[in-house]
Amino acid sequence: MKPSAFELIRTSSLEEALRALREHQDRDAKLLAGGQSLIPMMNFRVAQPEILIDLGAVPGLDGIEMRDGALCIGAMTRHNDVKEHALVAQHAPLVREAYEYVAHHSIRNRGTLGGNLSHADPASEMPAVMLALDAVFMVRSVDAERAIPASEFFLAPFTTALEPDEMLLQVRIPAALAQERFAFEEVSLRKGDFAISAVAAGLRMRDGRCERARVSMSGISYTPLRAAEAEEVLAGEVPDAGCIARAVDAAVGAIEFNATAAITAEYRRDLTRTLMIRALSRAAAEPSETP
C-alpha cells in the first residue's frame, strides 16, 4: 500500500506545468489533479510514474461558463462543483443526472472532471456521458492547442488520444435544446462503485418523432461505446415500446460481451438491454412523465 519512489514537481502556472510535462515526457510523467484515481493505483503499484506534476496551485484551470452555445467546464473543476452547478443542470442535464452514480461525496470533493476523463477508466460514467453529448476536449501542449471530439478521445483502457506532453484544459458540451430529453441508468455492485453496465441516452423530439438519438454505454467494453445501431433505428420514428425494443436489440446484438470472474457475458448482455430500454423509455416520455 505504498507507491514506488517518485519525484514531485509543484507548479504554479499552466506554462510551468506544460514545460515540466514536455521536459519529463520520457520518464512516464503524470499530472496530479484530484488524485482520487491515480494515487490508489500508485499505492497498489499498478501505476509507477517517475514524475508527478502537481496542478493544485495552478490558477485558471477550473470554472464553468457558457460560451458560443457551449457549456465550458475547466478540467480542474471538482466533481461536486460540476454536479451542483446551475448551468450544468440547465444546459447539460444528462451530466447532472449521471453524477448521482459517480463515486461518493468525499471523493467528488477532491476528484476533477478532467482528471477522470484523462484517466479513461472504461467503467466510469463521465466518459460515456461525454460521448453521448458529443463533447469536445480542448487540449494543449507547450506550443499548440487542439480540439479532440469525445468520439476520438478514448482509445483503450486508461489510454486516450492525449500526447505525452499534452494536458486536457477544458470540456465543451453543446448546450441542450428545448426539445431534447435525456436519461441515465446504471447498475453497480454498490452505490458509488464503477458500473457493471451504464447507459446514457438522449432524444431530440419533434411532433412525437425522434429527430436524433444519442446512446452510449460504459462498463461493458474496453472503452465507452456509442450505440450507433440503436440511433439509426430510432431516427425519424415514434419511440414507442416496439421501436425502442427494435433499437435495443440492434445495439445489443452488435456488441460482443465478455465474461469476468464474477459476471457472465449473458448477465451483462441482459442487464445492458434492460438499462437501455429504461433509459430510452424515460427519454421518450413527455417531460411531465419523467421522474
Side-chain angles (χ1 to χ4, degrees):
M1 295 295 291
K2 292 183 179 180
S4 57
F6 63 90
E7 178 184 347
L8 178 66
I9 300 175
R10 298 185 184 277
T11 58
S12 57
S13 71
L14 175 59
E15 292 72 21
E16 184 182 355
L18 290 172
R19 284 197 304 270
L21 196 57
R22 170 71 62 84
E23 180 182 353
H24 299 290
Q25 61 180 309
D26 296 330
R27 297 180 60 193
D28 192 23
K30 298 292 186 184
L31 296 170
L32 179 62
Q36 298 303 289
S37 297
L38 178 58
I39 297 301
M41 291 182 71
M42 291 175 61
N43 286 341
F44 283 108
R45 303 205 177 190
V46 176
Q48 301 185 52
E50 295 182 41
I51 304 286
L52 281 189
I53 302 170
D54 187 1
L55 301 176
V58 177
L61 297 182
D62 62 348
I64 302 173
E65 64 176 353
M66 287 297 301
R67 186 189 308 158
D68 300 327
L71 181 68
C72 300
I73 306 176
M76 282 290 287
T77 308
R78 308 289 178 179
H79 289 304
N80 271 339
D81 292 333
V82 180
K83 180 177 181 288
E84 302 300 335
H85 204 284
L87 287 177
V88 175
Q90 179 180 358
H91 298 290
L94 181 61
V95 174
R96 174 66 182 84
E97 181 174 348
Y99 259 117
E100 294 298 329
Y101 297 88
V102 174
H104 302 280
H105 184 81
S106 58
I107 292 174
R108 294 195 304 268
N109 270 342
R110 290 292 305 164
T112 65
L113 177 60
N116 172 266
L117 296 172
S118 299
H119 186 61
D121 191 308
S124 185
E125 294 84 4
M126 284 301 122
V129 169
M130 297 304 160
L131 190 61
L133 293 178
D134 296 322
V136 174
F137 301 149
M138 305 305 299
V139 309
R140 184 174 165 185
S141 65
V142 169
D143 46 23
E145 183 172 326
R146 64 184 178 124
I148 306 176
S151 59
E152 301 173 10
F153 189 76
F154 304 103
L155 303 182
F158 311 110
T159 305
T160 72
L162 286 168
E163 296 295 336
D165 64 342
E166 285 183 322
M167 178 192 309
L168 174 59
L169 293 185
Q170 189 182 76
V171 178
R172 296 182 181 176
I173 304 170
L177 303 176
Q179 60 269 35
E180 290 181 313
R181 306 168 190 164
F182 302 93
F184 187 88
E185 296 283 345
E186 177 181 315
V187 167
S188 58
L189 289 176
R190 294 171 296 272
K191 181 175 174 55
D193 281 4
F194 287 111
I196 296 173
S197 179
V199 176
L203 300 178
R204 186 170 69 205
M205 302 293 294
R206 188 177 298 276
D207 299 327
R209 291 185 178 274
C210 174
E211 282 193 328
R212 186 191 180 200
R214 290 178 283 177
V215 186
S216 65
M217 300 158 286
S218 66
I220 64 172
S221 186
Y222 301 113
T223 64
L225 297 178
R226 189 77 174 256
E229 296 81 7
E231 296 173 355
E232 291 173 3
V233 171
L234 290 162
E237 300 295 327
V238 176
D240 56 19
C243 180
I244 289 173
R246 292 193 301 274
V248 172
D249 286 343
V252 172
I255 300 169
E256 182 177 349
F257 291 86
N258 295 322
T260 67
I263 301 168
T264 66
E266 291 75 15
Y267 174 78
R268 187 169 263 124
R269 179 184 298 109
D270 290 345
L271 175 61
T272 301
R273 177 181 284 108
T274 298
L275 295 181
M276 197 177 296
I277 289 172
R278 289 178 183 174
L280 287 170
S281 297
R282 287 207 294 119
E286 291 298 325
S288 60
E289 300 175 27
T290 303

